[in-house]
Amino acid sequence: MIQAYGLTSSPRKELPPAVDDVSFDVRAGRVTALLGAPGAGKTTALKLMLELQQGRGITYFKGRPLHRIAHPGREVGVFLGDVPGHPARTVRGHLRMLCAAAGVPARRADEVLEVVGLVSLRDERLGTLSRGMDRRLGLACALLSDPHTLVLDNPAGGLSTREARWLYGMLRAHAAQGGTVLFTTADPKEAARSADRVVTLERGRLVADQVADDFARTRLRPRVAVRSPHVVRLAALLTKEARTAHRSVEVVHEGGNRLSVYGSSCADVGETAFRHGILVHQLADEIGDMGPGAVEPPVGGPEAADEPQVSEPRTADGAPEPGAAPHHSAPAEASRQGDASPSSLTRADASREAQSPAPADAPRSADAPKSPVTAPQSRVASGRAPTPAVRPTEAGALDSPPSLPPPISVRPAPSPLRPLRYEIRRAAGIGTGFVTGAIVLVVSALAAVLLARIGHTPQSRLLAAWPRELPLPPAALGAGLLGALAFGDEFRHPALAVDRGTVPRRLGLLAAKLLVATATALMLAFLTVGCDAEALYLVYGRELMQVPADWLSLSASWLGLVVGCAWAGVLAAGVFRSTTAGLAAVISVPVLVVPLVQKALAGSSVRMAAGLPLRLREVFLLQWPFGGERYLSAVARVIAQPVGGALTLSLTALLCAYLLTTLRSRVR
């Protein structure tokens, strides 16, 4: 169950808040629609509920706010807009990565792919998926951890009629098993057909919270759509005749040459126009909507036009079922609708949509008969009351509801390897890291050969391909870029949302990213020196292959520089939520921080730090094995250098900022 109280977004300059004091409940076992025209505040309300946007109010999921749930991703499945995954990642790889993040078995990815009908596309890249397949993948991501609650933002947006019916059938099946479902839509007729309860927003305020039957009766009123060049005169005549006959008729001028007449019929309006010689261009019965602000979502796909027709539901003796909407053929529909406004549907259209059969590619259980599906219990057409049982949907036959992934059991105690597995799958699932490493090696080898030909470059810098004119060598820049991508890709593609639709800024995930970044940076550092040395040997022989006398401190400096740049990229991208900011922080260390450290160290000094390794050895009271004091001395000399000191200072500041933002979000 979801309980939202006083949701209010932060004011936007001089504009009113997008959501203002909205409160509603979403009960378990029911499908609830959050309805409103574009800009009504539906998406903002969801973000406030999921704590993705700052504002006032609180939302309880099964009695607990989201930040009090240990593993929100296992309790709440979220789908906000498109599947924001990396375009180069495969469908199966994307789901397996999210499995590692949520702590569920990797086989769960294949189970949800089977349910949503994407098994044949599991090796396709996310960037090549169509709109419908993208929405199916989003539903698979929401169902991955077997959550009790589903929160979806316009899940059927841009889908064809068949695909939309299949998706709502899946939501109905999830609710029938005791789950809680909340989705947003801008189509009032779709909300009345697919939901048990409709919560209506208008300009950020709650205007109605009704069961679907009451919503269909009060806000989806039948009306007569009229188009005429003499709408003002016709409206006055209709109002006058209704007042004379003591009838409750409402005439609304929709703008231009269009009228909406509520409480009347085509026959009455047509007779009035005929008696007074008024030309009429359109006269059609329609199912009314909420008003001019309501819009009809796009109906795509050529398959919607050639769907086979299904006869109306009948009782056991063959008679038409009482209360069922009459069935009309497609030509009759077209002739009755005429040039109706795209923001409305005729009654016949609503009945025909309600009675359309299941899509041929929808998932079907093994024992489900393939007979035509009778009409769903559309409240718009038949006015039946909602029932707790599963209603017939398009994903299966009348007695076989759509299949859902089997339930899973997840250990409550988090494993320390869970974020590490997630990070490894995230980094190895795309070729960005491998391509970046290859470019770094090629550029370093070419730069080393060119610097050796020019001369005036020390051998230590020559092996690192680090000219004096550049603030950082190519290997350090590459390590910093890969570190920045560790968090930057997640904030750019929020589907890597491990828990709440955004990346959880927790120490376990940070430690995993720093560990993977360290391994990547060390590998890149060793490969760079090896490739540069091999290139110099091939071009110039052994004269440039001599080992320096201070190789230990130089190696420590080199490894510390590359690893420090990778860490700076990780921390800066995590703090500023941007890959560009992470890379900028890496470059700013030698450009801005190093001059400041050099200026601070260049001042007059009374005390010197000579003999620091020896004193450290005395403090630890240990006999370092294998000459460990030499390594300690090398590390101390690295930190004492301006670059090492600047990098250490920058990493400390970024780590403190990361911890501060993490603790602040938890306290809030």
Side-chain angles (χ1 to χ4, degrees), residues 50-54 483-494 497 500-506 568-583 585 654 657-658 660-666 668:
L50 298 171
E51 300 180 5
L52 302 179
Q53 184 171 325
Q54 294 184 359
L485 289 173
F487 265 126
D489 273 352
E490 294 182 345
F491 291 119
R492 188 159 55 97
H493 306 295
R500 302 181 242 178
T502 60
V503 177
R505 297 142 72 83
R506 296 180 177 177
V570 171
L571 293 172
V575 172
F576 301 107
R577 298 172 173 257
S578 170
T579 302
T580 305
L583 188 59
L654 290 173
Y658 186 93
L660 178 63
T661 54
T662 302
L663 295 177
R664 184 183 63 181
S665 62
R666 288 191 178 185
R668 184 175 66 247

Side-chain angles (χ1 to χ4, degrees), residues 465-478:
W466 190 1
R468 297 181 182 274
E469 293 78 10
L470 294 180
L472 287 175
L477 286 174

Side-chain angles (χ1 to χ4, degrees), residues 618-654:
E618 294 175 355
V619 169
F620 286 109
L621 299 177
L622 294 174
Q623 182 67 32
W624 293 92
F626 307 106
E629 62 274 5
R630 293 188 304 159
Y631 301 101
L632 184 62
S633 175
V635 173
R637 284 198 295 269
V638 169
I639 297 178
Q641 294 176 0
V643 176
L647 199 55
T648 304
L649 181 63
S650 301
L651 292 177
T652 303
L654 290 173

Side-chain angles (χ1 to χ4, degrees), residues 7-9 12 16-24 34-49 53 80 152-154 182-186 199-206 290:
L7 298 179
T8 304
S9 61
R12 303 163 295 175
V19 174
D20 188 6
D21 194 20
V22 173
S23 302
F24 59 91
L34 190 60
L35 176 66
K42 305 183 298 297
T43 303
T44 303
L46 294 188
K47 291 183 177 180
L48 290 172
M49 294 170 60
Q53 184 171 325
L80 301 178
L152 307 101
D153 184 23
N154 193 21
L182 173 65
F183 72 92
T184 65
T185 180
V199 179
T200 307
L201 295 182
E202 185 174 337
R203 296 182 181 179
R205 291 183 174 273
L206 183 69
M290 293 167 19

Side-chain angles (χ1 to χ4, degrees), residues 388-627:
V390 181
R391 293 183 295 180
T393 57
E394 291 74 19
L398 179 62
D399 54 352
S400 179
S403 59
L404 290 175
I408 57 175
S409 59
V410 184
R411 294 180 180 179
S415 170
L417 296 180
R418 180 165 64 91
L420 184 59
R421 286 196 297 265
Y422 161 74
E423 181 60 22
I424 292 176
R425 290 179 181 175
R426 185 208 62 80
I430 56 177
T432 303
F434 303 102
V435 173
T436 302
I439 293 176
V440 167
L441 295 180
V442 171
V443 172
S444 297
L446 294 178
V449 172
L450 183 61
L451 290 176
R453 181 179 181 83
I454 296 175
H456 308 292
T457 301
Q459 186 181 7
S460 58
R461 281 182 169 260
L462 198 61
L463 292 176
W466 190 1
R468 297 181 182 274
E469 293 78 10
L470 294 180
L472 287 175
L477 286 174
L481 175 60
L482 294 179
L485 289 173
F487 265 126
D489 273 352
E490 294 182 345
F491 291 119
R492 188 159 55 97
H493 306 295
L496 303 185
V498 180
D499 278 337
R500 302 181 242 178
T502 60
V503 177
R505 297 142 72 83
R506 296 180 177 177
L507 296 183
L509 183 65
L510 176 64
K513 290 186 178 296
L514 292 179
L515 183 59
V516 173
T518 301
T520 305
L522 291 177
M523 187 181 304
L524 193 60
F526 281 115
L527 290 177
T528 299
V529 173
C531 290
D532 293 349
E534 186 67 21
L536 293 174
Y537 170 74
L538 291 176
V539 177
Y540 301 107
R542 294 185 177 274
E543 58 179 345
L544 297 177
M545 296 294 296
Q546 298 178 0
V547 178
D550 55 344
W551 65 272
L552 183 59
S553 60
L554 289 176
S555 300
S557 300
W558 172 242
L559 296 179
L561 175 66
V562 178
V563 173
C565 289
W567 283 14
V570 171
L571 293 172
V575 172
F576 301 107
R577 298 172 173 257
S578 170
T579 302
T580 305
L583 188 59
V586 174
I587 299 176
S588 66
V589 172
V591 175
L592 299 178
V593 184
V594 170
L596 296 177
V597 174
Q598 287 179 337
K599 186 176 181 180
L601 296 178
S604 59
S605 177
V606 179
R607 298 284 188 268
M608 298 297 293
L612 176 62
L614 182 60
R615 288 192 293 273
L616 287 176
R617 178 179 177 183
E618 294 175 355
V619 169
F620 286 109
L621 299 177
L622 294 174
Q623 182 67 32
W624 293 92
F626 307 106

Side-chain angles (χ1 to χ4, degrees), residues 6 34 38 105 112 161 181 183 219 253 342 417 479 505 511:
L34 190 60
V112 295
T161 304
V181 178
F183 72 92
R219 302 186 68 83
H253 188 193
L417 296 180
R505 297 142 72 83

